[in-house]
């Protein structure tokens, strides 16, 4: 299938973790008046490799819809083609371009907004930044409906936390946004949470059930309700590498969560 490509001009590139070689990018689509998308969707980037073969890779949009702009968050993958192609885009003089198509994907928030657990590791935090910007815009009304929103963000080291200050500031401004960082290989000086995201997802589910007087595991939904019409009062949104996604899905399934309550995006 031939896709219509758009040229995206790089306006800003910042290395947000030296140790993880992770970059934040801001692109502008000059030929479009607006680039509407749902927070959590991805774009496909296209470029020829050294042999001239067109390569395409998906990248989650790391921002909420904003005119003709979008952000990406990409880390170098050893011996990888596209992640290094992006990481090597010259940041000065500014104005390098890439070809993209999209937006694509179904990793988007359910509406109306419910209590939600956002779970990410590594650059899986990219769509979560989009969700957070959409739910709690700086220059518009809050879209969270007062629901509880948890962001459980796991990485190995403190130096590999992306957008940490932004999420911390958001949590300070919005009491219903709960930002939980857990490090799997923290230094001794780290005073925050340690271990894997699954552990803290379990804690959220258990504490919420206790607070609301719900029993766990939750009962399956009424089989008379058609699958397409099933709705839940809490959803989980998981993004990252397959191992983590599978681990969190298993944890939630253990609490009787229905598979339709678990929305996920796998990067590998
Ligand atoms: C829907 C979707 C959204 C994505 N969003 C992002 C994003 O926001 N940011 C981001 O950095 N990546 C994202 N990815 C991953 C991205 O598409 C590429 O797979 C990644 O950048 C590596 O591409 P590459 O061309 O550099 O490596 P390749 O040349 O494709 O692969 C090189 C080697 O690295 C392994 N590999 C591939 N991907 C990864 C990975 N993610 N981590 C570790 N090893 C890997 C491959 O198995 C292979 O052995 C997303 C993937 C999907 C499917």
């Amino acid at each position: 299938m031939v896709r219509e490509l758009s040229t995206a001009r790089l306006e800003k590139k910042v290395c947000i973790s030296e140790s993880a070689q992770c970059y934040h990018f801001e692109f502008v689509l000059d030929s479009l008046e607006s680039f509407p998308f749902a927070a959590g969707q991805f774009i496909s980037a296209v470029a020829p490799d050294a042999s001239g073969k067109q390569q395409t890779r998906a990248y989650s949009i790391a921002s909420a819809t904003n005119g003709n702009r979008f952000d990406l968050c990409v880390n170098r993958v050893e011996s990888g083609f596209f992640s290094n192609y992006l990481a090597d885009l010259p940041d000065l003089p500014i104005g390098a371009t890439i070809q993209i198509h999209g937006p694509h994907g179904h990793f988007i928030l359910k509406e109306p907004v419910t209590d939600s657990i956002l779970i990410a590791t590594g650059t899986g935090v990219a769509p979560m930044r989009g969700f957070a910007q959409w739910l709690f815009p700086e220059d518009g009304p809050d879209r969270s409906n007062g629901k509880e929103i948890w962001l459980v963000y796991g990485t190995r080291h403190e130096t590999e936390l992306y957008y940490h200050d932004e999420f911390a500031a958001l949590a300070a401004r919005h009491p219903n946004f709960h930002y939980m960082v857990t490090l799997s290989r923290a230094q001794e000086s780290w005073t925050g949470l340690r271990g894997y995201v699954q552990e803290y997802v379990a804690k959220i589910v258990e504490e919420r059930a206790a607070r609301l007087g719900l029993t766990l595991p939750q009962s399956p939904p009424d089989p008379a309700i058609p699958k397409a019409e099933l709705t839940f009062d809490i959803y989980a949104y998981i993004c990252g590498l397959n191992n983590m996604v599978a681990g969190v899905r298993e944890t939630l399934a253990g609490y009787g969560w229905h598979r339709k309550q678990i929305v996920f995006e796998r990067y590998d």
Side-chain angles (χ1 to χ4, degrees), residues 22-23 40-43 55-62 71-86 104-105 107 122-127 162 239-241 265-268:
C22 184
Y23 293 83
Q41 287 194 294
F42 65 87
I43 54 97
Q55 296 285 346
T56 304
R57 298 288 186 280
Y59 291 99
S60 298
I61 304 173
D71 298 353
L72 299 182
C73 170
V74 179
N75 65 348
R76 286 188 192 271
V77 166
E78 207 183 323
S79 315
F81 166 67
F82 224 114
S83 58
N84 291 294
Y85 175 88
L86 291 173
H104 303 295
F107 188 70
T123 51
V125 80
Y162 316 143
C239 186
L241 297 180
E265 187 88 280
R266 284 184 293 223
Y267 280 2
D268 59 341

Side-chain angles (χ1 to χ4, degrees), residues 43-238:
I43 54 97
S44 292
V46 182
D49 64 16
S51 64
K53 187 169 175 251
Q54 287 289 82
Q55 296 285 346
T56 304
R57 298 288 186 280
Y59 291 99
S60 298
I61 304 173
S63 50
T65 189
N66 171 24
N68 59 352
R69 296 162 175 275
F70 67 91
D71 298 353
L72 299 182
C73 170
V74 179
N75 65 348
R76 286 188 192 271
V77 166
E78 207 183 323
S79 315
F81 166 67
F82 224 114
S83 58
N84 291 294
Y85 175 88
L86 291 173
D88 290 335
L89 283 177
D91 41 1
L92 281 175
I94 210 71
T97 58
I98 61 165
Q99 299 295 305
I100 66 144
H101 58 78
H104 303 295
H106 304 287
F107 188 70
I108 58 177
L109 291 171
K110 303 281 179 190
E111 289 189 64
V113 174
T114 63
D115 282 358
S116 304
I117 315 178
L118 317 180
I119 305 128
T121 50
T123 51
V125 80
M128 308 310 181
R129 183 173 184 259
F131 288 157
Q133 288 185 354
W134 185 82
L135 288 164
F136 305 105
E138 269 185 17
D139 53 356
D142 185 318
R143 296 191 181 99
S144 69
N145 284 340
K147 301 295 178 190
E148 303 298 329
I149 312 290
W150 291 267
L151 170 58
V152 185
Y153 181 21
T155 189
R156 289 176 305 176
H157 306 288
E158 196 175 352
T159 54
E160 295 170 3
L161 281 172
Y162 316 143
Y163 307 115
H164 179 66
D165 294 347
E166 282 184 26
F167 291 127
L170 204 63
R173 283 201 304 276
H174 299 277
N176 60 327
F177 179 67
H178 312 284
Y179 177 46
M180 300 166 73
V181 171
T182 177
L183 302 184
S184 58
R185 295 189 203 167
Q187 288 196 322
E188 258 180 42
S189 56
W190 173 252
T191 55
L193 306 177
R194 289 165 185 264
Y196 293 106
V197 288
Q198 288 88 316
E199 207 180 304
Y200 298 99
V201 171
K203 204 160 177 264
I204 291 166
V205 171
E206 286 177 18
E207 286 179 0
R208 178 178 181 271
R211 200 172 57 249
L212 301 179
L214 307 170
T215 46
L216 288 173
Q218 70 182 28
S219 329
D222 181 348
I225 305 174
K227 274 201 183 107
E229 288 171 25
L230 280 176
T231 57
F232 301 89
D233 64 354
I234 182 165
Y235 287 82
Y237 301 86
I238 320 169

